[in-house]
Amino acid sequence: MLDEMPAPDATAVITDVVHSAKPVSRLRLVMARLRSTPRFWVGIIGLGAIILWAIFGLVPNAWNYTDLDIYNMGSSPSRLHWFGTSDIGEDIYAQTIVGLRKSLIIGLLVGPLAAIVAGVVGAVAGYLGGWWDRVIVWVIDLLLVLPSLFLFILLSPIFKQLSWVALIFLLAGFGWMIMARVIRAQTRSLRERDFIKAARFMGVDTWTIIRRHVLPNVSSLLIIDATLGVGAAILSETTLSFFGFGIQAPDVSLGTLLAAGQSAAATRPWLFIFPAAILVFTVLSASLVGDALRDAVDPTSGVNRD
């Protein structure tokens, strides 16, 4: 009886399996890749821990960053001062947390802000083309060849009179050009897609097409750029503050702490080691998250890394 039953058609079986399988969205696919990436977990746990420490780290500490302990000036780490004190009795632990807060705020604002500028400028240049494209590309190329460090030095007297918030816009203003070129190239290919042509044929205005169709399709690149930009912005701010062109006293950042402790790195290493270790850990954690996110969106960018 069984021998008389017709054998199932292989093509029909494959078709049934394909149609029965639920389509996997791009977001779920990216999240699945992230969950299987060890460096993503290392980076996100490290970054989360450093943010929580920056928020709540002063709670168990008895000293404010402006307090002076005249009886323990230049003392090494102890139960009273966990990271030691400076030459005038400042608590290095409290100053490190306050400096970390300032650096984190700058990094977490500069990265997304620069990505937004890159997305808008690149999408406008790539979609409109013509003289819009030529002018925007000329501006991007000009900003890329300008020595940004020298401009920061020249503008530092002006920013000394302003709030440190001005440094956020300055760093974001020089951190969007490369990604803008990438977004421009992606947009030039997107504008020839059928759904963009259909929107134009239906009379949808240019800015609506860019907002609803172009930017969502390049959002993964912008998210990666914003994530990687956080670590880069923290490092840039620290460098500027280290050389005296960024955060100015009485404000504190990791850069000002490193600048204050570099001369005593050999004799009183706690003045330099603790801020430097926190800086390396923060930038490394943010870079690991951005690197894992980039590989999850584009698996060909990091083949056989893990």
Side-chain angles (χ1 to χ4, degrees):
M1 180 69 65
L2 293 177
D3 295 337
E4 296 178 359
M5 295 179 61
D9 186 10
T11 304
V13 172
I14 295 175
T15 304
D16 291 339
V17 171
V18 170
H19 285 291
S20 63
K22 294 182 179 180
V24 179
S25 65
R26 181 178 177 84
L27 178 60
R28 291 179 61 185
L29 186 60
V30 169
M31 294 302 297
R33 290 170 180 164
L34 286 177
R35 286 194 294 268
S36 62
T37 305
R39 64 180 178 280
F40 169 75
W41 292 108
V42 173
I44 199 68
I45 292 174
L47 191 59
I50 207 71
I51 292 175
L52 290 176
W53 185 58
I55 296 173
F56 301 107
L58 284 179
V59 173
N61 191 46
W63 299 90
N64 191 18
Y65 81 103
T66 57
D67 293 341
L68 300 179
D69 186 358
I70 60 175
Y71 300 105
N72 293 281
M73 295 186 294
S75 64
S76 59
S78 62
R79 293 178 61 184
L80 185 61
H81 298 282
W82 299 340
F83 286 4
T85 60
S86 66
D87 293 338
I88 59 176
E90 299 166 318
D91 186 73
I92 301 301
Y93 176 84
Q95 288 211 329
T96 300
I97 292 182
V98 173
L100 175 63
R101 287 177 181 175
K102 190 66 60 62
S103 298
L104 279 174
I105 291 173
I106 292 175
L108 292 173
L109 289 177
V110 169
L113 183 59
I116 292 173
V117 174
V120 173
V121 173
V124 169
Y127 183 78
L128 296 180
W131 68 270
W132 278 92
D133 186 35
R134 290 192 293 270
V135 170
I136 292 175
V137 169
W138 179 82
V139 172
I140 292 175
D141 291 340
L142 177 63
L143 292 176
L144 284 174
V145 299
L146 286 176
S148 56
L149 180 60
F150 291 135
L151 289 178
F152 291 149
I153 295 174
L154 291 175
L155 294 174
S156 61
I158 299 176
F159 286 97
K160 286 181 180 180
Q161 304 173 6
L162 302 175
S163 170
W164 58 269
V165 177
L167 184 62
I168 295 175
F169 296 98
L170 184 65
L171 291 173
F174 284 91
W176 57 271
M177 290 83 72
I178 295 177
M179 181 51 61
R181 272 191 162 277
V182 176
I183 299 300
R184 169 182 172 268
Q186 292 291 322
T187 305
R188 286 169 67 90
S189 64
L190 282 173
R191 70 181 181 182
E192 302 302 326
R193 302 283 291 274
D194 291 339
F195 66 94
I196 298 289
K197 291 181 178 179
R200 285 202 302 265
F201 180 77
M202 295 173 62
V204 181
D205 63 275
T206 299
W207 302 110
T208 302
I209 292 177
I210 292 176
R211 186 179 71 253
R212 293 184 179 178
H213 299 292
V214 175
L215 290 178
N217 278 279
V218 298
S219 59
S220 59
L221 295 174
L222 296 177
I223 293 173
I224 295 170
D225 182 61
T227 307
L228 291 173
V230 171
I234 292 175
L235 200 57
S236 297
E237 178 276 320
T238 303
T239 303
L240 290 173
S241 300
F242 181 84
F243 290 108
F245 304 117
I247 302 297
Q248 305 291 327
D251 287 331
V252 180
S253 76
L254 294 178
T256 60
L257 293 176
L258 291 175
Q262 65 163 339
S263 59
T267 56
R268 296 184 300 279
W270 60 87
L271 298 177
F272 185 86
I273 288 178
F274 289 115
I278 296 302
L279 172 64
V280 171
F281 184 80
T282 304
V283 173
L284 179 61
S285 297
S287 299
L288 286 175
V289 174
D291 189 57
L293 185 59
R294 179 187 60 196
D295 290 349
V297 174
D298 181 14
T300 60
S301 65
V303 178
N304 296 328
R305 284 193 183 183
D306 295 320

